[in-house]
Amino acid sequence: MRHIARVLLAAFKAHLIATFQYRVQEGMGMIGLLIESLIYLVVWTTVAEARGGEVGGFSTDEIAGYFIAWMFVRNITTGWSPYAMEGRIRRGDFNSLLLRPVHPIFVDTSEMLASKAVAMITVIPAMIALALVFKPRFDLVPWSLLALIPALILAFVLRYVLMYVLALTSFWTTRLAALFELWYGVEFFFSGRIAPLTVLPEWAQQVANLLPFQWMFYFPLELLLGRVQPDEMLFGFAMQVVWLTVMVLLIRFVWGRAARRYPAVGG
């Protein structure tokens, strides 16, 4: 374990340095995140004002708080892009990765965490700027903020593992775009990313409760906003653990078969 920890720490440091060298690229990514959040904020604030100052149980200032907090949670829970796996397989890059003493997912995780650490340098100032303009309302609850920490960790790991499982399908098809776009579209709608789930029709909210997406995004976001009751918190953690268990078992199953198939697909 110590050897693996040293390898992961070295990968984290190396990618952290590399990320700082591409400041323009990181800056453009953060501008995109800011614009996306701003669009949703303006749209739903306008909808709330048109409906008398409230939509889906959110007032206009709570909508502002939702999409400002959205930036923080979005950065923390962002997963690894399946397109990177597709490129690796086509180029035969897995030859060297499979020779390393640790599973590629751990090194990839270290690199992802380094990117998040750098991104947070710009996310926090962007959140402050939006807060000064839109005057959001945050009902911060101490116990809910404490619960937010493990919820964010589980949300990130769940989404990361789920996307890694999706990425591994590249061993069977070298064109992942259609499958990923379908998955991404479903997640986009049922995760709370485009709007609070309470604005959806009742049937859509029921469907969302059966899918993993809200536990990767909406649940920790609601904790941050103090809109979760203790019993709902326990249920949310239970769903995160259940879905994470499913994904870990699935990635173990898929990885063994994908690695054996690799010589026939890669280089």
Side-chain angles (χ1 to χ4, degrees):
M1 287 298 297
R2 289 184 178 180
H3 175 67
I4 293 177
R6 287 196 296 269
V7 172
L8 298 182
L9 182 59
F12 176 84
K13 291 180 179 178
H15 194 72
L16 191 65
I17 295 172
T19 303
F20 272 115
Q21 292 176 341
Y22 293 93
R23 292 183 294 273
V24 174
Q25 178 179 337
E26 290 297 319
M28 293 301 294
M30 286 305 100
I31 290 174
L33 179 64
L34 174 62
I35 292 174
E36 184 179 3
S37 175
L38 185 59
I39 290 173
Y40 299 151
L41 194 163
V42 171
V43 168
W44 286 107
T45 297
T46 303
V47 172
E49 290 175 347
R51 295 188 175 187
E54 185 272 337
V55 60
F58 286 80
S59 62
T60 53
D61 53 356
E62 288 175 328
I63 284 287
Y66 182 92
F67 284 108
I68 291 172
W70 178 99
M71 294 184 65
F72 177 79
V73 175
R74 172 82 169 81
N75 182 59
I76 295 295
T77 60
T78 298
W80 190 73
S81 172
Y83 291 123
M85 182 74 75
E86 180 183 87
R88 284 175 173 178
I89 294 171
R90 287 205 310 268
R91 296 189 302 267
D93 294 346
F94 252 90
N95 292 329
S96 59
L97 294 174
L98 292 175
L99 294 176
R100 294 181 178 181
V102 296
H103 194 293
I105 193 173
F106 294 117
V107 177
D108 291 335
T109 302
S110 296
E111 295 179 351
M112 175 62 67
L113 292 175
S115 296
K116 291 179 182 300
V118 174
M120 199 59 70
I121 296 174
T122 52
V123 167
I124 298 300
M127 292 174 62
I128 294 173
L130 287 179
L132 293 174
V133 173
F134 289 95
K135 305 297 188 298
R137 174 183 172 185
F138 294 103
D139 295 323
L140 303 179
V141 180
W143 68 262
S144 186
L145 292 177
L146 288 175
L148 174 66
I149 298 173
L152 281 174
I153 294 173
L154 287 171
F156 164 68
V157 175
L158 172 57
R159 190 171 192 270
Y160 187 83
V161 175
L162 194 157
M163 293 188 74
Y164 216 91
V165 171
L166 179 63
L168 290 178
T169 61
S170 295
F171 283 94
W172 286 270
T173 173
T174 55
R175 290 294 179 267
L176 189 62
L179 177 61
F180 178 57
E181 292 301 327
L182 174 63
W183 176 88
Y184 186 72
V186 175
E187 183 207 40
F188 194 77
F189 186 71
F190 289 109
S191 66
R193 175 173 169 176
I194 192 173
L197 292 182
T198 51
V199 308
L200 299 180
E202 184 63 29
W203 67 265
Q205 295 183 45
Q206 294 300 322
V207 172
N209 289 334
L210 301 175
L211 299 175
F213 306 118
Q214 70 164 305
W215 314 114
M216 300 182 297
F217 187 82
Y218 190 69
F219 172 58
L221 181 53
E222 288 278 88
L223 279 173
L224 177 56
L225 296 173
R227 296 175 61 90
V228 177
Q229 298 301 315
D231 58 331
E232 296 172 329
M233 176 198 69
L234 294 176
F235 180 73
F237 278 125
M239 292 302 294
Q240 284 185 318
V241 171
V242 167
W243 275 109
L244 182 56
T245 301
V246 171
M247 289 304 142
V248 169
L249 292 175
L250 186 59
I251 199 171
R252 288 173 62 89
F253 175 80
V254 175
W255 174 257
R257 286 153 182 78
R260 287 197 296 270
R261 182 180 176 82
Y262 175 66
V265 179

